[in-house]
Each structure stands twice: as structure tokens, then as C-alpha cells.
Amino acid sequence: MARKPRRPLWLKLLLAVLILAPLGVGLWLWSDLKQWRPPESEFPEQGADLSANTGDVNFAVLKGSGADFVYLPATAGEGEQAGDFSRNLAAARAAGLEVGAIHRFDPCVPADGQSANFVTIVPRDEALLPPTIALVETGENCLERANSGQVRSELTILANQIEAHAGKPAILKLTRDFEAAHGIASRIERNLWLVRTRFEPDYGGRPWLIWTANENYNGPASEEPMAWAVVRP
């Protein structure tokens, strides 16, 4: 039986390089992205959004690592409240950070209950940053699915009620899916907070005020990732 010819050593090494090089580049890009932030020379005001962070955060370290502000999750829908909101608010302020509160909009329930939930936990305080309404769930899973007109109407009512409490215009933190489902950006005149890791988002159709530039930033202030955001200069 004839033996198969052996591959030369140089060919084996070349094949190994061709296979492993893309893997190594991919791992480097993934590792680099975990700690990537837009340069402060382009975006002087930067900070964190703790909406998805459930771990402990050292706010003094967060401030020392370059954050100017932090947005804390406060409420969601008509009944959900962040039990650590008041404690985190005090700790963030003690560290010298500007602080804002986020309410996650529920398209399945009326605005009145949602605003009542917000005002029970978020103080009326001029020092707070403008309140933010996070638009994530599109309403596809509501028992009675609301159309886009109803969603926009309830969202407008909610924004007006939250603004009356805060004394400042609300910011709409708009996800790509929510915008695609309900066309908010062109119909409700509020500042936009858009989300896209690494690359500047354009799905709002108009300039954003805040950009979540890294959705899973790994910094020294917490063992869990947080969202890193910048303000338009």
C-alpha cells in the first residue's frame, strides 16, 4: 500500500498560522472592546449607566476612573422599584458624581401608574440630571397589544408627568428595536439617548444627546460590566 506524502514542515506551520491568526485577532479585539471608551478629547463628558449592572459599584473608583456622571435605574412600569436607588444616589453624590434616574417604560400599562411609581422613589431635586425614560420592550407581549399610536400617546403623557415632577425635560433612551416598532424619534420632541457599541448610532434620524458607546464596559469600579456613555460636546 502506497503511503500518503507528508506535508513539508513549512506548509504545516503556514496552515497553523492561517488558522490561529484570525482566532488571536478576534480574542484581542474582544479583550480590547471590554475596556474601550471613546477618547475624552472628542467627548469630554463621560459616565456610566447602571441599568444592567446588578453588582456592587464603588462610586469613588468610578469617579476616579474618568466618569463625570452616572444614571441609576429607579423604576420600571407601574410597580417595580430599585431597592438600592436611594443608597446608590447618596453614595454617587458623595463621590462627586452627577446623578440621574432612569424609568423603564412598560407599553402594556397606562402612564399614570408608571409616573406615580417614579415619583414615589425619585426625589424632587433640582440637582438631579434630567430624568430618562428607557424604551426597550416594544409591547409585543402585552395581553392586549397596543398599536404605535397608543404607545406614543401614553409615552407622551408619562414624559409630561415625570417632567412636572423633575422640573426638567426628559430624555428618551431609545433602542433600535423600539424605534423600528413605533417611530418615536420623529414624533416626540425630546432629547435622544441612543445605543450602539463602538460605532456612533444613527437610527434616531436626528442628533443624539447621549450615546451608550460600550454596552458591556469592564472597568475597575465593579466586577460586573456596565454601560459606558458619552454626552455630545
Side-chain angles (χ1 to χ4, degrees), residues 105 107 109-112 114 149-159:
F105 176 66
V109 299
D112 290 346
Q114 299 193 58
Q150 293 171 316
V151 170
R152 291 193 293 266
S153 176
E154 291 299 323
L155 176 57
T156 301
I157 294 171
L158 175 63

Side-chain angles (χ1 to χ4, degrees), residues 2-152:
R3 294 183 178 179
K4 293 182 180 179
R6 292 184 177 181
R7 291 175 177 171
L9 179 59
W10 68 265
L11 181 57
K12 292 180 180 179
L13 294 174
L14 177 61
L15 290 173
V17 169
L18 292 175
I19 293 171
L20 295 177
L23 179 60
V25 170
L27 289 173
W28 178 83
L29 289 173
W30 176 78
S31 177
D32 177 66
L33 182 60
K34 292 199 304 180
Q35 296 182 333
W36 179 81
R37 298 176 354 190
E40 292 185 9
S41 58
E42 296 181 26
F43 300 97
E45 290 185 82
Q46 305 199 11
D49 168 15
L50 302 186
S51 296
N53 184 292
T54 59
D56 293 329
V57 176
N58 187 319
F59 291 99
V61 172
L62 183 62
K63 173 68 174 178
S65 65
D68 302 299
F69 65 88
V70 62
Y71 265 90
L72 305 174
T75 52
E78 61 183 1
E80 185 178 338
Q81 298 183 347
D84 57 358
F85 175 79
S86 296
R87 175 171 57 84
N88 285 340
L89 172 59
R93 280 180 161 171
L97 291 161
E98 292 191 81
V99 187
I102 298 177
H103 172 83
R104 192 173 76 245
F105 176 66
D106 185 346
C108 302
V109 299
D112 290 346
Q114 299 193 58
S115 60
N117 188 27
F118 183 84
V119 303
T120 60
I121 188 174
V122 179
R124 188 191 299 268
D125 189 335
E126 292 183 358
L128 286 173
L129 295 171
T132 290
I133 302 174
L135 306 174
V136 182
E137 293 88 357
T138 61
E140 294 180 357
N141 298 322
C142 298
L143 293 177
E144 295 184 9
R145 186 171 179 176
N147 61 46
S148 292
Q150 293 171 316
V151 170
R152 291 193 293 266

